[in-house]
Amino acid sequence: MAALDLFGRRWALRILWELRAGPLGARALLARCEGLSSSVLYQRLRELTSSGIIAPSADGYELTRLGTELSGAFRRLDEWAVTWAQELERNEQEPTET
């Protein structure tokens, strides 16, 4: 349950999603996460670092081995989300019976 508590915190998953392609600094993360405050960003970075999912790097922050494994789950979730959205769209386009 600790993982769900961590990932359920506001912006945690978005930060991990943005780091999936490679290291980013705090400014880049703030730019990519519109509406994220710097205080929340630094709090999440501390939490994700202490949990071993990300680590500081010369370029900012990057996924650790565990974070990279988690990134694979995000790809599967993203694929599912695309299928789900397409299904919703198909259902909305079907005529309703009256």
Side-chain angles (χ1 to χ4, degrees):
M1 290 314 247
L4 292 178
D5 290 339
L6 176 62
F7 302 142
R9 292 186 181 129
R10 192 173 204 179
W11 294 104
L13 289 176
R14 177 64 185 272
I15 292 166
L16 294 172
W17 178 258
E18 295 300 338
L19 291 174
R20 76 194 186 285
L24 291 172
R27 286 182 193 249
L29 284 166
L30 284 170
R32 291 178 183 217
C33 300
E34 187 177 327
L36 172 61
S37 70
S38 60
S39 62
V40 171
L41 171 63
Y42 286 110
Q43 182 178 3
R44 294 299 170 266
L45 290 173
R46 281 191 301 274
E47 293 166 349
L48 293 166
T49 299
S50 69
S51 67
I53 297 171
I54 66 170
S57 73
D59 298 319
Y61 292 87
E62 64 186 357
L63 296 175
T64 62
R65 178 187 55 78
L66 289 172
T68 301
E69 289 176 12
L70 180 62
S71 181
F74 288 158
R75 280 190 295 280
R76 289 187 297 277
L77 181 59
D78 184 51
E79 291 167 2
W80 177 87
V82 169
T83 301
W84 174 65
Q86 291 169 344
E87 184 69 24
L88 285 177
E89 187 176 317
R90 264 193 306 275
N91 289 339
E92 289 175 1
Q93 292 176 358
E94 290 178 5
T96 56
E97 293 181 30
T98 55

